[in-house]
Amino acid sequence: MAEQLKDLADDRALLGRTSTAERVSDILRSRIAEGYFPPGTRLSEDSIGGALGVSRNTLREAFRLLTHERLLVHELNRGVFVRVLTVEDVEDIYRTRRLVECAVVRGLGEPPYGLDGLAGAVAEGRQAAREGDWKGVGTANIHFHRELVALAASERTDELMRSVFAELRLAFHVVDEPQRLHEPYIARNVAILEALQAGERGRAERLLAGYLDDSLERVVEVYRRRVGEEG
């Protein structure tokens, strides 16, 4: 925890003169997504507040926001913890992803589409794979799907899926088999990108639906075993 708090203290500069609860929650959300605070970690108000240089009230409001996003959970007389998802949570996350992401592709309209962000995420994933950075591949994969959702040009959809993808990272941290989990989807991201580049949104949607179904099966298989072992 000491190392995480030292890194967190480096984030104080991000607060600037507007150290609002929203900015604090942005920082903590990113740190949780990156695995600095793994699922099940108790978050100390004193330590985190001291590292970020914010008041207890500001930190509690940030905790409240992240609890609303289902990233944290408050346990009576114990404190605030990074949430540990259930298998049902993981299944619901993927159900939401399928509903939203496939609808985004289906509703794209006529090509050409603005695909620079998707192409950049594909390149990021390939580079991370070449370096053997499989957690980096996972991050690039999340970036790919965020860029896919961004094609809808909807702030509300972006906000909804930001929370969904942050929850998904909680599952990935428990699974902890990043190469097995993420490597197969590098080529599948390329296939979806190429379908969209060709203006074939129907094929892209079919590829995406199959992708999400296979990913759900793989994640749930490993997640159920890991949660059972830890239980």
Side-chain angles (χ1 to χ4, degrees), residues 36-146:
Y36 281 84
F37 301 115
T41 301
R42 181 181 179 276
L43 301 184
S44 165
E45 286 186 2
D46 291 340
S47 298
I48 292 175
L52 289 175
V54 297
S55 71
R56 187 181 296 268
N57 285 341
T58 296
L59 188 60
R60 285 178 176 174
E61 176 63 12
F63 283 173
R64 187 192 68 78
L65 293 171
L66 295 176
T67 299
H68 180 70
E69 294 180 19
R70 295 178 295 276
L71 296 180
L72 302 180
V73 61
H74 181 268
E75 297 186 12
L76 190 62
N77 299 322
R78 295 194 64 216
V80 176
F81 295 79
V82 179
R83 191 158 173 248
V84 178
L85 303 182
T86 64
V87 171
E88 291 73 21
D89 289 326
V90 176
E91 291 172 337
D92 192 42
I93 286 168
Y94 272 88
R95 187 179 304 115
T96 303
R97 291 186 66 192
R98 206 179 194 282
L99 285 169
V100 174
E101 294 185 48
C102 289
V104 167
V105 173
R106 191 181 316 125
L108 281 177
E110 295 304 314
Y113 312 120
L115 302 175
D116 288 349
L118 279 182
V122 165
E124 178 187 352
R126 284 171 157 172
Q127 179 63 34
R130 284 193 292 270
E131 296 171 357
D133 178 8
W134 298 108
K135 289 190 176 181
V137 172
T139 297
N141 193 37
I142 293 291
H143 290 167
F144 179 88
H145 289 275
R146 279 171 42 189

